[in-house]
Amino acid sequence: MRPGQQELRWAYLLFALLALDSFLVAWQVPRPLAFWVLLPLLAVQLIAAWLAPRVVRMVRGHRQLQESYAEELAFARQLMESVEHGLTVTDEDGRFVYVNRAYARLLGTVPDKVLGRTPFDFTLPEDHAQLLAAQAERLGGQSSSYRTRLRHHSGAAVEVVVTGTPRWHGGRIVGNVAAVVPLHELDQN
């Protein structure tokens, strides 16, 4: 069904009810008085007739915008999931709001178990100072790259290069976006 089709059917039903109402008033009310009773009803019908195409056009536009947004979001997610390196997005509090499967694989887990946690939960304690310095740079609006070690679920250390950049919205920093590349892959190239 085309966007706005259902709303258009409801508008036709409303017009039919208004027309039926007008017919019933004209049938039940004495003739000279019927004109004065029908006048406001006819005014409402004219206003509704004027508004209906605008409302339907607005609803169709809104539905098309929603569908377009959903398609773009699906495309962006597909793109982020297809990248072979880790991708992360954090919020203002430094908590992960998105991680792709590649990043979760570096940690030996699934993305759902990483969401809501912070990079400190997965970075070796000896490397927390580097992480704090990088976060400070990003809060200042600068991108940064640094080497660090992540803790795999098995307990092993995974050496990576993290390249992060601030995430902006409405002229202010609302988090970070980072690419996480294992060092052993860099050494092979």
Side-chain angles (χ1 to χ4, degrees), residues 3 5 8 41-42 53 57 61 65 67 86 97 125-126 170 185:
Q5 200 71 27
L8 190 58
L41 290 173
L42 290 174
R57 195 169 35 251
L65 186 63
E67 290 171 3
V97 293
E126 305 86 47
E185 287 184 18

Side-chain angles (χ1 to χ4, degrees), residues 58-113:
M58 183 178 68
V59 168
R60 277 187 182 153
H62 179 71
R63 279 239 180 103
Q64 288 171 341
L65 186 63
Q66 274 184 319
E67 290 171 3
S68 175
Y69 175 74
E71 287 174 13
E72 290 295 322
L73 188 60
F75 174 73
R77 285 199 181 273
Q78 180 184 9
L79 189 64
M80 291 189 297
E81 285 300 326
S82 68
V83 174
E84 292 183 21
H85 303 301
L87 290 176
T88 68
V89 179
T90 58
D91 62 12
E92 288 178 281
D93 298 325
R95 298 198 175 280
F96 290 115
V97 293
Y98 172 81
V99 297
N100 67 354
R101 287 188 301 258
Y103 181 75
R105 265 194 314 273
L106 286 172
L107 302 173
T109 188
V110 294
D112 289 342
K113 295 201 178 186

